[in-house]
Amino acid sequence: LDDIIERCPDYPLERQRLYRDQGCWIDETFGAMLRRLSAEHGPREALVEGNLRLSYTELDQRVDGLARGLRRLGIERGDRVVIQLPNRHEFVVACFALFRLGALPVFALPAHRRFEVEHFCRAATAKALLICDKDAGFDYRAMARDVRLTVPTLKQVIVCGEAQEFTAFDDLLEHEGEPVEDVPSAHDLAFFQLSGGTTGVPKLIPRRHDDYHYSLRESNRACAVTLDTVYLVALPIAHNFPMSSPGFLGVLLGGGRLVIAPRPSPDECFALIERERVTMTSLVPPLAMLWLDSAPHAQADLSSLDILQVGGAKLVSEAARRVAPALGCRLQQVFGMAEGLVNYTGLDDPIELINTTQGQPMSELDEVLVVDDDDQPIPPGGVGHLITRGPYTIPGYFVAPAEGDEPEGAHNQRAFTHDGFYRTGDRVQMTPDGYLIVEGRDKDQINRGGEKVAAEEVENQLLAHDNVHDVAVVAMPDPYLGERVCAFVVPRGETPKPMVLARFLRDRGLAHYKVPERFEFLEAFPQTGVGKISKKALRQTLKAHWFASE
Ligand code: J2J
């Protein structure tokens, strides 16, 4: 555990003091929070999934039941547990059970496949993996079998549903027993979120109870969460947005009610909105557009819906303007990141501001700078790099042991300034009243409708193919997803078929959303002045193609 703690950079002492003095960081862990909520809201409903309804007290008891079972299985303070579950209540139960034990969840997404999950297990030296049996046609147990063979620290696989040779989640629920004592302190590590990634492999983002707790409280204020809030969890529950902005954790903290949707489709979600009188939900832009298109034909009564949050990728203003008329609710734009900083438009802001900006930092203690290439602040109104530090923005990624010729910690040196500002990789403009407009990106990443794809990760995979001499992965504009993944390939020998390359990547266990949807073959790459591949030139070719075909 000491080694893990050492590898997670902590905030400098004077900022720790500041954030405590200012009342940002308080002395409550998530385990203690749930215990308090159970005392305060006892019989009120906390969570609904299908026909299952759990009150705050029942949720708290179930969490203790699982914590006892996990303890018996040998899960202790500081142990890392990779969780990969679709939207179901066991996710919530497992989070709190691990929080109470002081074990550290690592949040994988259901769309991740063997390659990613193996990386998370290895990077975090995980002791256990929590999955479901099957979902959306994919058997997670088969994947876990492979991962187990290659990650020696992985001692336990826990399965929701048919466990086969593994440990069944339900068997771990020990209904009888003493309440489980909450192990961690408020400034301890709570879990690892995953970075969207800009490099070969996704980075682990260490979050602490106190910094995340603060982000929930500020979110609840910005989103006006109350006891009457009914929040539909439609996006993948493990993502930072539906977890914390205000997400399921914020809404529980506020004493509201969660409705867990297995899938974000309009059909399923509209029915749930009517049945449960949902007041609020969050979506990525392509889903928001899908909902907007479906709403006019909807049979369901959507009148309870008050707030639709949209974030994760840029929402174009034309779509933003359609929200109120089509869904009869208010729009809130959310520009956040798992590393910390979250911006919201105000619920009662002027409609133009809501439709055309990505909001303002939620905390007065967020330090947000728009800078040029030399980290010098640029005059207001200009477009520049967004850098930030504050009471809930990490001071550094988990420092993985050195691999290859990169020195240990090199990634943090690049991603943070000398005085601890996180380089978001986003290009923004700040309006005179302090609202941010996302104008683009410096990081080598594709944002596929909220799903982040690191170009380098896909490039490395493609380079492993015999008929690939060189490759550059870039974003291509797309009216629905905003961007899709495109690979430019310089072949070696015979030019491979696009289908063969796509298949190759899936067989290597890469998440399907990362697999390029278009391949272009070139004899050589356009180069920049210094002889590097010019991705800018490649992107321009795509733009030219796209507009030509419109
Ligand atoms: C443009 N780009 C956006 C937006 C995120 C709340 C909401 C979203 C995330 C998230 C999150 C954007 N317009 N409205 O964690 O708590 C892009 C930026 C950003 C990156 C972060 C939350 N909202 N983005 O999306 O860690 O490029 O978090 O740096 O997945 O998504 O991605 P992620």
Side-chain angles (χ1 to χ4, degrees), residues 88-397:
R88 43 197 291 172
H89 74 280
E90 288 97 332
F91 182 90
V92 180
V93 176
C95 282
F96 280 104
L98 292 168
F99 292 157
R100 243 172 219 169
L101 294 174
L104 306 171
V106 180
F107 296 123
L109 296 170
H112 287 136
R113 290 293 176 261
R114 190 188 65 239
F115 173 73
E116 288 92 7
V117 174
E118 187 180 307
H119 166 68
F120 303 145
C121 290
R122 196 192 303 278
T125 49
K127 191 187 259 186
L129 170 64
L130 170 57
I131 52 174
C132 71
D133 47 7
K134 272 184 175 176
D135 187 59
F138 183 72
D139 192 329
Y140 289 89
R141 296 161 300 192
M143 177 197 71
R145 248 166 243 136
D146 289 342
V147 175
R148 257 258 286 244
L149 290 177
T150 53
V151 184
T153 58
L154 198 65
K155 298 282 185 283
Q156 304 288 347
V157 176
I158 303 159
V159 180
C160 294
E162 272 302 315
Q164 294 175 339
E165 75 268 39
F166 301 123
T167 304
F169 182 96
D170 287 343
D171 291 346
L172 288 177
L173 293 171
E174 291 185 2
H175 298 289
E176 304 294 314
E178 295 286 304
V180 174
E181 201 193 325
D182 189 51
V183 175
S185 324
H187 193 58
D188 282 349
L189 299 171
F191 56 82
F192 293 97
Q193 264 291 359
L194 299 173
S195 78
T198 52
T199 52
V201 283
K203 300 284 175 287
L204 300 180
I205 299 174
R207 300 294 304 251
R208 296 166 191 274
H209 293 264
D210 51 9
D211 81 65
Y212 214 67
H213 196 292
Y214 175 62
S215 84
L216 300 180
R217 293 188 332 269
E218 284 298 323
S219 292
N220 282 358
R221 195 183 46 73
C223 309
V225 171
T226 68
L227 295 174
D228 298 323
T229 298
V230 183
Y231 177 77
L232 184 77
V233 187
L235 290 175
I237 190 163
H239 188 269
N240 197 58
F241 184 12
M243 183 173 292
S244 68
S245 301
F248 80 86
L249 284 176
V251 171
L252 286 178
L253 173 59
R257 188 155 66 93
L258 303 175
V259 179
I260 299 182
R263 257 159 280 280
S265 68
D267 283 359
E268 284 173 83
C269 289
F270 288 178
L272 284 171
I273 291 173
E274 174 178 281
R275 191 184 87 182
E276 302 296 334
R277 305 296 295 159
V278 167
T279 64
M280 175 178 191
T281 190
S282 28
L283 298 175
V284 289
L287 279 172
M289 291 196 269
L290 193 64
W291 283 35
L292 291 174
D293 291 341
S294 309
H297 324 287
Q299 303 290 313
D301 170 12
L302 305 179
S303 61
S304 59
L305 193 64
D306 176 28
I307 303 168
L308 175 66
Q309 299 183 297
V310 181
K314 177 118 176 206
L315 179 68
V316 294
S317 56
E318 296 77 56
R321 285 182 230 289
R322 292 173 58 205
V323 170
L327 290 165
C329 67
R330 294 184 281 180
L331 168 67
Q332 179 172 52
Q333 293 215 37
V334 189
F335 165 36
M337 52 207 75
E339 286 83 357
L341 181 70
V342 182
N343 305 274
Y344 293 105
T345 56
L347 294 174
D348 298 317
D349 275 347
I351 192 78
E352 234 355 69
L353 210 57
I354 296 177
N355 287 339
T356 58
T357 80
Q358 279 65 59
Q360 59 178 337
M362 64 174 170
S363 163
E364 299 217 316
L365 284 145
D366 281 321
E367 298 172 71
V368 166
L369 296 177
V370 184
V371 299
D372 63 17
D373 292 346
D374 300 318
D375 289 343
Q376 296 308 308
I378 59 164
V383 176
H385 315 289
L386 174 68
I387 63 173
T388 184
R389 66 179 187 190
Y392 60 97
T393 294
I394 55 160
Y397 291 103

Side-chain angles (χ1 to χ4, degrees), residues 313-316 333 335 356-359 370 378 380-386 424-431 435-443 447 483 543:
K314 177 118 176 206
L315 179 68
V316 294
Q333 293 215 37
F335 165 36
T356 58
T357 80
Q358 279 65 59
V370 184
I378 59 164
V383 176
H385 315 289
L386 174 68
T424 65
D426 293 310
R427 289 178 67 75
V428 303
Q429 182 197 342
M430 192 184 284
T431 67
Y435 280 63
L436 297 174
I437 300 173
V438 180
E439 300 283 1
R441 171 163 76 237
D442 315 307
K443 49 192 169 191
N447 189 336
E483 299 174 9
K543 264 208 191 112

Side-chain angles (χ1 to χ4, degrees), residues 3-58:
D3 182 52
I4 295 294
I5 292 173
E6 290 253 304
R7 291 179 176 281
C8 296
D10 200 348
Y11 296 74
L13 283 175
E14 67 281 4
R15 280 171 60 208
Q16 295 195 24
R17 207 170 306 125
L18 173 71
Y19 299 148
R20 287 195 187 97
D21 288 348
Q22 295 291 318
C24 306
W25 291 358
I26 59 171
D27 202 17
E28 184 170 71
T29 60
F30 290 118
M33 174 181 109
L34 182 63
R35 195 74 88 210
R36 174 174 63 78
L37 293 170
S38 158
E40 283 171 18
H41 306 301
R44 300 189 56 231
E45 260 176 28
L47 175 159
V48 181
E49 184 210 333
N51 294 325
L52 176 80
R53 289 174 187 274
L54 294 180
S55 69
Y56 274 88
T57 302
E58 286 163 337

